[in-house]
Amino acid sequence: KELHRFILTHYSFKITASEVTMSEASAPKRLIFNEDDLRSFLSSPTKDELLKFISGMGRSCATPQLPDYDPDNPLNSLSPGLATLVGVLEGLSAWMDEIPPLSDENVRFGNPAFKIWHQRLVERAPDMVRCILTNTEKYSSQDEDYELDLLKQCCEDGRNTTTESDSQNPSTVEDASTTKIVTEVCAYLRDAFGHPIRLDYGTGHETCFQIVLLVLFKVGVFGNPPNQGPSALRLKAACLSTWDLYLKVARSIQKDYRLEPAGSHGVWGLDDYYCLAFYFGAQQLVSVPDASPRDIHRATSDETKKYLYFSCIAFIKEIKQRAPFSETSPMLNDISNLGSWEKVASGLSRLYEGEVLGKLPVVQHLVFGKYFPATWTASQDHQPEPPTKNFRTEEAELLGGIAPTRAPWAK
């Protein structure tokens, strides 16, 4: 029982679902435009709240007394709303077969088929979010555990929302408060898988997925009782289940549609696409007896399937096969020499705060609403027009149509 309240008592994670009502939600918008806005964000309670939520999820993964994550049973210990989200993510994975990459040998990055994939996400996201909220309200309970059959049904409900959209012809009349919260959650969900014009993906997009989880928590989707945080067990299950499935979708998109790494530092950065995924993965391995950061060089297929960090390493090795790991990812290779996973997780937490949340090119694309609010007055009211060109389009124009030099490991 004490473990079930450790988030509140030990880690100062005191956000509760009752702090924001659904009727207060509104359509999010950009509010970071320059360095002044960035400084306001960095000193805001909003940024602190996000970091506390991330830390709480990470520390729950590091708790050895809690059951290990079972990738073959991702619904274990989830709430009905979270099980619905799992179904949504499983459904998104199936879209890759329905929307194959367009054949274009001249395109190094950014297959145009992703625009079709993303447009489907925009169209069907409202029904996905409505289903999550509906199942949360329908099966609300004070119990910690839910029957597996119920969770399987909720998962199927979520998966069904990805197959077709009823947004144009809803079967029931939706109240204004639900419409507002759906609008807000959709804004973050649409930004969680990459940009449809720039055809890129980076740490800002994975941050948007984490904000999706934060907002869903605030409206009670985690199943936490009023005025209380979620249990450590629920938080760990939510983190590992949803992130495992989210990464499967995101990696398929990056690989098949060849999305440009957004703001990548190349070999001088941690990874082309992720930071949070490595942090949660490192925290997960803290709870594994005798686990060492050196294990990334000898992880088995079963371990890669079970542990987020190992799966992240395996993905890098898959897409960068033409050079040694020490050359393609020298920073991750150096991290493997640290003495413990606690040190790895601590360092990655600082890296995320400084190199992701602390960088204007990343956070300028974040949008803010009631659940992820801007507590400052932005430097401008005008919302910039969305881009019409991607990075590769502009680069090709500058080079007169000449393709840039490939990295040694690029396919």
Side-chain angles (χ1 to χ4, degrees), residues 334-381:
D334 289 344
I335 288 174
S336 70
N337 293 314
L338 293 179
S340 67
W341 284 111
E342 289 90 344
K343 290 183 179 180
V344 175
S346 177
L348 290 173
S349 176
R350 294 193 301 271
L351 182 71
Y352 177 75
E353 182 175 3
E355 296 299 319
V356 178
L357 295 185
K359 297 300 182 182
L360 181 61
V362 179
V363 299
Q364 67 179 341
H365 300 294
L366 294 180
V367 294
F368 298 85
K370 274 291 183 180
Y371 290 87
F372 191 64
T375 56
W376 63 93
T377 301
S379 59
Q380 67 182 61
D381 294 328

Short mmCIF file of all heavy atoms in Angstrom, two decimals, residues 334-381:
data_model
loop_
_atom_site.label_atom_id
_atom_site.label_comp_id
_atom_site.label_asym_id
_atom_site.label_seq_id
_atom_site.Cartn_x
_atom_site.Cartn_y
_atom_site.Cartn_z
N ASP A 334 29.81 5.67 -25.26
CA ASP A 334 30.51 6.14 -24.06
C ASP A 334 29.65 5.95 -22.81
O ASP A 334 30.17 5.60 -21.73
CB ASP A 334 30.87 7.61 -24.21
CG ASP A 334 31.98 7.85 -25.23
OD1 ASP A 334 32.66 6.86 -25.60
OD2 ASP A 334 32.15 9.00 -25.68
N ILE A 335 28.35 6.19 -22.94
CA ILE A 335 27.44 6.02 -21.79
C ILE A 335 27.47 4.58 -21.29
O ILE A 335 27.31 4.33 -20.08
CB ILE A 335 26.01 6.44 -22.19
CG1 ILE A 335 25.94 7.96 -22.33
CG2 ILE A 335 24.98 5.95 -21.17
CD1 ILE A 335 24.61 8.46 -22.87
N SER A 336 27.69 3.64 -22.19
CA SER A 336 27.70 2.22 -21.77
C SER A 336 28.85 1.91 -20.83
O SER A 336 28.87 0.84 -20.20
CB SER A 336 27.78 1.32 -23.00
OG SER A 336 29.06 1.40 -23.62
N ASN A 337 29.80 2.83 -20.70
CA ASN A 337 30.93 2.61 -19.78
C ASN A 337 30.65 3.12 -18.37
O ASN A 337 31.50 2.96 -17.48
CB ASN A 337 32.18 3.30 -20.34
CG ASN A 337 32.68 2.66 -21.62
OD1 ASN A 337 32.77 1.43 -21.71
ND2 ASN A 337 33.00 3.47 -22.61
N LEU A 338 29.49 3.74 -18.15
CA LEU A 338 29.15 4.19 -16.80
C LEU A 338 28.93 3.00 -15.88
O LEU A 338 28.63 1.89 -16.32
CB LEU A 338 27.89 5.07 -16.85
CG LEU A 338 28.04 6.42 -17.57
CD1 LEU A 338 26.71 7.17 -17.57
CD2 LEU A 338 29.12 7.27 -16.92
N GLY A 339 29.03 3.25 -14.59
CA GLY A 339 29.02 2.16 -13.62
C GLY A 339 27.67 1.59 -13.28
O GLY A 339 27.60 0.48 -12.75
N SER A 340 26.60 2.33 -13.53
CA SER A 340 25.28 1.82 -13.14
C SER A 340 24.21 2.47 -13.99
O SER A 340 24.41 3.54 -14.58
CB SER A 340 25.00 2.12 -11.67
OG SER A 340 24.86 3.52 -11.45
N TRP A 341 23.04 1.85 -14.01
CA TRP A 341 21.91 2.42 -14.74
C TRP A 341 21.35 3.64 -14.02
O TRP A 341 20.75 4.50 -14.66
CB TRP A 341 20.81 1.37 -14.93
CG TRP A 341 21.15 0.38 -16.01
CD1 TRP A 341 21.45 -0.94 -15.86
CD2 TRP A 341 21.23 0.65 -17.42
NE1 TRP A 341 21.72 -1.51 -17.08
CE2 TRP A 341 21.58 -0.56 -18.06
CE3 TRP A 341 21.04 1.79 -18.19
CZ2 TRP A 341 21.75 -0.65 -19.44
CZ3 TRP A 341 21.20 1.71 -19.56
CH2 TRP A 341 21.55 0.50 -20.17
N GLU A 342 21.55 3.73 -12.70
CA GLU A 342 21.14 4.94 -11.99
C GLU A 342 21.87 6.16 -12.54
O GLU A 342 21.26 7.22 -12.73
CB GLU A 342 21.42 4.80 -10.50
CG GLU A 342 20.50 3.83 -9.76
CD GLU A 342 21.05 2.42 -9.73
OE1 GLU A 342 21.97 2.12 -10.52
OE2 GLU A 342 20.55 1.61 -8.93
N LYS A 343 23.18 6.02 -12.78
CA LYS A 343 23.95 7.13 -13.33
C LYS A 343 23.51 7.47 -14.75
O LYS A 343 23.45 8.64 -15.14
CB LYS A 343 25.44 6.78 -13.31
CG LYS A 343 26.05 6.72 -11.92
CD LYS A 343 27.54 6.43 -11.99
CE LYS A 343 28.16 6.41 -10.60
NZ LYS A 343 29.62 6.12 -10.65
N VAL A 344 23.19 6.45 -15.52
CA VAL A 344 22.71 6.67 -16.88
C VAL A 344 21.40 7.46 -16.86
O VAL A 344 21.24 8.46 -17.57
CB VAL A 344 22.52 5.34 -17.63
CG1 VAL A 344 21.90 5.59 -19.00
CG2 VAL A 344 23.85 4.61 -17.78
N ALA A 345 20.45 7.01 -16.03
CA ALA A 345 19.15 7.66 -15.96
C ALA A 345 19.28 9.10 -15.48
O ALA A 345 18.63 10.01 -16.01
CB ALA A 345 18.22 6.87 -15.02
N SER A 346 20.13 9.33 -14.48
CA SER A 346 20.32 10.68 -13.96
C SER A 346 20.88 11.61 -15.03
O SER A 346 20.43 12.75 -15.20
CB SER A 346 21.25 10.64 -12.75
OG SER A 346 21.52 11.93 -12.27
N GLY A 347 21.87 11.12 -15.76
CA GLY A 347 22.46 11.92 -16.81
C GLY A 347 21.49 12.21 -17.95
O GLY A 347 21.45 13.33 -18.48
N LEU A 348 20.67 11.23 -18.31
CA LEU A 348 19.71 11.42 -19.39
C LEU A 348 18.61 12.40 -18.98
O LEU A 348 18.10 13.15 -19.82
CB LEU A 348 19.10 10.08 -19.79
CG LEU A 348 20.05 9.12 -20.52
CD1 LEU A 348 19.38 7.77 -20.72
CD2 LEU A 348 20.49 9.70 -21.86
N SER A 349 18.25 12.40 -17.71
CA SER A 349 17.26 13.35 -17.22
C SER A 349 17.77 14.78 -17.37
O SER A 349 17.05 15.67 -17.84
CB SER A 349 16.94 13.06 -15.75
OG SER A 349 16.04 14.02 -15.24
N ARG A 350 19.02 15.00 -17.00
CA ARG A 350 19.62 16.33 -17.14
C ARG A 350 19.76 16.70 -18.62
O ARG A 350 19.56 17.86 -19.01
CB ARG A 350 20.97 16.38 -16.45
CG ARG A 350 20.90 16.23 -14.92
CD ARG A 350 22.23 16.59 -14.27
NE ARG A 350 23.32 15.76 -14.75
CZ ARG A 350 23.67 14.60 -14.20
NH1 ARG A 350 23.00 14.14 -13.16
NH2 ARG A 350 24.70 13.91 -14.67
N LEU A 351 20.11 15.72 -19.43
CA LEU A 351 20.25 15.96 -20.86
C LEU A 351 18.92 16.39 -21.47
O LEU A 351 18.87 17.33 -22.27
CB LEU A 351 20.77 14.70 -21.55
CG LEU A 351 21.02 14.81 -23.06
CD1 LEU A 351 22.24 15.68 -23.34
CD2 LEU A 351 21.20 13.42 -23.68
N TYR A 352 17.85 15.72 -21.10
CA TYR A 352 16.53 16.05 -21.64
C TYR A 352 16.12 17.46 -21.22
O TYR A 352 15.63 18.24 -22.05
CB TYR A 352 15.49 15.04 -21.15
CG TYR A 352 14.09 15.36 -21.63
CD1 TYR A 352 13.72 15.13 -22.95
CD2 TYR A 352 13.16 15.91 -20.76
CE1 TYR A 352 12.45 15.44 -23.40
CE2 TYR A 352 11.88 16.23 -21.20
CZ TYR A 352 11.53 15.99 -22.52
OH TYR A 352 10.26 16.31 -22.96
N GLU A 353 16.32 17.79 -19.96
CA GLU A 353 15.94 19.11 -19.49
C GLU A 353 16.74 20.21 -20.19
O GLU A 353 16.19 21.25 -20.59
CB GLU A 353 16.13 19.21 -17.98
CG GLU A 353 15.71 20.56 -17.40
CD GLU A 353 15.80 20.62 -15.89
OE1 GLU A 353 16.25 19.62 -15.27
OE2 GLU A 353 15.41 21.65 -15.31
N GLY A 354 18.04 19.99 -20.38
CA GLY A 354 18.88 21.03 -20.96
C GLY A 354 18.87 21.08 -22.47
O GLY A 354 18.79 22.16 -23.07
N GLU A 355 18.91 19.91 -23.12
CA GLU A 355 19.09 19.87 -24.57
C GLU A 355 17.78 19.70 -25.35
O GLU A 355 17.78 19.80 -26.57
CB GLU A 355 20.05 18.74 -24.95
CG GLU A 355 21.45 18.93 -24.41
CD GLU A 355 22.10 20.22 -24.93
OE1 GLU A 355 21.94 20.51 -26.14
OE2 GLU A 355 22.74 20.93 -24.13
N VAL A 356 16.69 19.43 -24.65
CA VAL A 356 15.38 19.34 -25.32
C VAL A 356 14.48 20.48 -24.85
O VAL A 356 14.17 21.40 -25.61
CB VAL A 356 14.71 17.98 -25.07
CG1 VAL A 356 13.33 17.93 -25.74
CG2 VAL A 356 15.59 16.85 -25.62
N LEU A 357 14.10 20.46 -23.58
CA LEU A 357 13.22 21.51 -23.07
C LEU A 357 13.91 22.86 -23.03
O LEU A 357 13.25 23.91 -23.01
CB LEU A 357 12.71 21.14 -21.68
CG LEU A 357 11.81 19.90 -21.60
CD1 LEU A 357 11.27 19.74 -20.18
CD2 LEU A 357 10.67 19.95 -22.60
N GLY A 358 15.23 22.87 -23.01
CA GLY A 358 15.97 24.13 -22.91
C GLY A 358 16.36 24.73 -24.24
O GLY A 358 17.07 25.74 -24.28
N LYS A 359 15.91 24.14 -25.36
CA LYS A 359 16.33 24.62 -26.67
C LYS A 359 15.14 25.19 -27.45
O LYS A 359 14.14 24.51 -27.66
CB LYS A 359 16.95 23.46 -27.46
CG LYS A 359 18.22 22.90 -26.83
CD LYS A 359 19.30 23.96 -26.69
CE LYS A 359 20.59 23.39 -26.09
NZ LYS A 359 21.63 24.42 -25.90
N LEU A 360 15.28 26.43 -27.89
CA LEU A 360 14.22 27.11 -28.63
C LEU A 360 13.80 26.37 -29.90
O LEU A 360 12.60 26.28 -30.18
CB LEU A 360 14.66 28.54 -28.96
CG LEU A 360 13.63 29.40 -29.71
CD1 LEU A 360 12.36 29.57 -28.90
CD2 LEU A 360 14.25 30.76 -30.06
N PRO A 361 14.73 25.85 -30.71
CA PRO A 361 14.30 25.15 -31.93
C PRO A 361 13.37 23.97 -31.68
O PRO A 361 12.61 23.57 -32.57
CB PRO A 361 15.63 24.68 -32.55
CG PRO A 361 16.64 25.65 -32.05
CD PRO A 361 16.21 25.96 -30.64
N VAL A 362 13.43 23.41 -30.45
CA VAL A 362 12.55 22.29 -30.11
C VAL A 362 11.23 22.79 -29.54
O VAL A 362 10.15 22.50 -30.07
CB VAL A 362 13.23 21.34 -29.10
CG1 VAL A 362 12.29 20.20 -28.72
CG2 VAL A 362 14.52 20.79 -29.68
N VAL A 363 11.27 23.56 -28.47
CA VAL A 363 10.05 23.91 -27.74
C VAL A 363 9.23 24.99 -28.41
O VAL A 363 8.08 25.21 -28.04
CB VAL A 363 10.37 24.31 -26.28
CG1 VAL A 363 11.02 23.15 -25.54
CG2 VAL A 363 11.26 25.54 -26.24
N GLN A 364 9.78 25.67 -29.41
CA GLN A 364 8.99 26.69 -30.10
C GLN A 364 7.79 26.08 -30.83
O GLN A 364 6.83 26.78 -31.15
CB GLN A 364 9.85 27.45 -31.11
CG GLN A 364 10.33 26.61 -32.29
CD GLN A 364 11.16 27.41 -33.27
OE1 GLN A 364 11.10 28.63 -33.27
NE2 GLN A 364 11.95 26.72 -34.10
N HIS A 365 7.83 24.79 -31.06
CA HIS A 365 6.73 24.12 -31.75
C HIS A 365 5.68 23.58 -30.79
O HIS A 365 4.63 23.10 -31.25
CB HIS A 365 7.28 22.98 -32.61
CG HIS A 365 8.26 23.42 -33.66
ND1 HIS A 365 7.89 24.22 -34.72
CD2 HIS A 365 9.60 23.21 -33.79
CE1 HIS A 365 8.95 24.46 -35.48
NE2 HIS A 365 10.00 23.87 -34.93
N LEU A 366 5.93 23.62 -29.49
CA LEU A 366 4.94 23.15 -28.52
C LEU A 366 3.74 24.08 -28.50
O LEU A 366 3.87 25.29 -28.71
CB LEU A 366 5.55 23.07 -27.12
CG LEU A 366 6.66 22.05 -26.89
CD1 LEU A 366 7.14 22.12 -25.45
CD2 LEU A 366 6.21 20.64 -27.24
N VAL A 367 2.58 23.51 -28.24
CA VAL A 367 1.36 24.31 -28.10
C VAL A 367 0.86 24.18 -26.67
O VAL A 367 1.12 23.20 -25.98
CB VAL A 367 0.28 23.88 -29.11
CG1 VAL A 367 0.72 24.19 -30.53
CG2 VAL A 367 -0.05 22.40 -28.97
N PHE A 368 0.11 25.19 -26.23
CA PHE A 368 -0.31 25.27 -24.83
C PHE A 368 -1.81 25.50 -24.74
O PHE A 368 -2.38 26.26 -25.51
CB PHE A 368 0.44 26.40 -24.12
CG PHE A 368 1.93 26.20 -24.09
CD1 PHE A 368 2.72 26.60 -25.16
CD2 PHE A 368 2.54 25.59 -23.01
CE1 PHE A 368 4.09 26.42 -25.15
CE2 PHE A 368 3.92 25.39 -22.99
CZ PHE A 368 4.69 25.81 -24.07
N GLY A 369 -2.42 24.82 -23.78
CA GLY A 369 -3.84 24.98 -23.53
C GLY A 369 -4.09 25.04 -22.03
O GLY A 369 -3.26 25.53 -21.28
N LYS A 370 -5.22 24.50 -21.58
CA LYS A 370 -5.54 24.51 -20.15
C LYS A 370 -4.79 23.43 -19.38
O LYS A 370 -4.44 23.61 -18.21
CB LYS A 370 -7.04 24.34 -19.95
CG LYS A 370 -7.84 25.63 -20.02
CD LYS A 370 -7.53 26.51 -18.81
CE LYS A 370 -8.37 27.78 -18.83
NZ LYS A 370 -8.10 28.63 -17.67
N TYR A 371 -4.56 22.31 -20.01
CA TYR A 371 -3.92 21.20 -19.31
C TYR A 371 -2.41 21.29 -19.33
O TYR A 371 -1.72 20.73 -18.49
CB TYR A 371 -4.38 19.87 -19.92
CG TYR A 371 -5.81 19.57 -19.61
CD1 TYR A 371 -6.84 20.05 -20.42
CD2 TYR A 371 -6.15 18.82 -18.49
CE1 TYR A 371 -8.16 19.78 -20.13
CE2 TYR A 371 -7.46 18.55 -18.18
CZ TYR A 371 -8.47 19.03 -19.01
OH TYR A 371 -9.77 18.77 -18.71
N PHE A 372 -1.90 21.95 -20.33
CA PHE A 372 -0.46 22.22 -20.43
C PHE A 372 -0.36 23.72 -20.68
O PHE A 372 -0.12 24.18 -21.80
CB PHE A 372 0.15 21.41 -21.57
CG PHE A 372 1.65 21.43 -21.60
CD1 PHE A 372 2.38 20.86 -20.56
CD2 PHE A 372 2.34 21.99 -22.66
CE1 PHE A 372 3.76 20.87 -20.59
CE2 PHE A 372 3.72 22.01 -22.70
CZ PHE A 372 4.44 21.44 -21.66
N PRO A 373 -0.55 24.51 -19.61
CA PRO A 373 -0.81 25.95 -19.80
C PRO A 373 0.45 26.80 -19.90
O PRO A 373 1.51 26.47 -19.36
CB PRO A 373 -1.58 26.31 -18.52
CG PRO A 373 -1.01 25.38 -17.49
CD PRO A 373 -0.72 24.10 -18.21
N ALA A 374 0.31 27.91 -20.57
CA ALA A 374 1.34 28.95 -20.58
C ALA A 374 1.00 29.94 -19.49
O ALA A 374 -0.07 30.56 -19.51
CB ALA A 374 1.38 29.65 -21.95
N THR A 375 1.88 30.10 -18.53
CA THR A 375 1.64 30.99 -17.39
C THR A 375 2.26 32.35 -17.62
O THR A 375 2.35 33.15 -16.69
CB THR A 375 2.21 30.35 -16.11
OG1 THR A 375 3.60 30.07 -16.30
CG2 THR A 375 1.47 29.07 -15.78
N TRP A 376 2.70 32.62 -18.85
CA TRP A 376 3.33 33.89 -19.19
C TRP A 376 2.58 34.52 -20.36
O TRP A 376 1.79 33.86 -21.04
CB TRP A 376 4.80 33.66 -19.57
CG TRP A 376 4.97 32.82 -20.80
CD1 TRP A 376 5.10 33.23 -22.10
CD2 TRP A 376 5.01 31.38 -20.85
NE1 TRP A 376 5.22 32.17 -22.95
CE2 TRP A 376 5.16 31.01 -22.21
CE3 TRP A 376 4.92 30.38 -19.89
CZ2 TRP A 376 5.24 29.68 -22.61
CZ3 TRP A 376 5.00 29.06 -20.30
CH2 TRP A 376 5.16 28.72 -21.64
N THR A 377 2.84 35.79 -20.59
CA THR A 377 2.29 36.49 -21.74
C THR A 377 3.29 36.37 -22.89
O THR A 377 4.43 36.82 -22.78
CB THR A 377 2.02 37.96 -21.44
OG1 THR A 377 1.10 38.06 -20.35
CG2 THR A 377 1.45 38.67 -22.66
N ALA A 378 2.87 35.75 -23.98
CA ALA A 378 3.77 35.52 -25.10
C ALA A 378 4.18 36.84 -25.75
O ALA A 378 3.49 37.86 -25.64
CB ALA A 378 3.12 34.61 -26.12
N SER A 379 5.29 36.82 -26.45
CA SER A 379 5.82 38.02 -27.09
C SER A 379 4.99 38.48 -28.27
O SER A 379 5.12 39.60 -28.73
CB SER A 379 7.26 37.77 -27.54
OG SER A 379 7.31 36.68 -28.45
N GLN A 380 4.13 37.60 -28.79
CA GLN A 380 3.26 37.98 -29.90
C GLN A 380 1.98 37.16 -29.85
O GLN A 380 1.95 36.06 -29.30
CB GLN A 380 3.97 37.77 -31.24
CG GLN A 380 4.25 36.31 -31.58
CD GLN A 380 4.99 36.15 -32.89
OE1 GLN A 380 6.09 36.64 -33.07
NE2 GLN A 380 4.37 35.46 -33.84
N ASP A 381 0.92 37.72 -30.42
CA ASP A 381 -0.36 37.03 -30.48
C ASP A 381 -0.56 36.30 -31.79
O ASP A 381 -1.30 35.32 -31.87
CB ASP A 381 -1.52 38.04 -30.30
CG ASP A 381 -1.53 38.66 -28.91
OD1 ASP A 381 -1.13 37.95 -27.96
OD2 ASP A 381 -1.90 39.83 -28.78
#
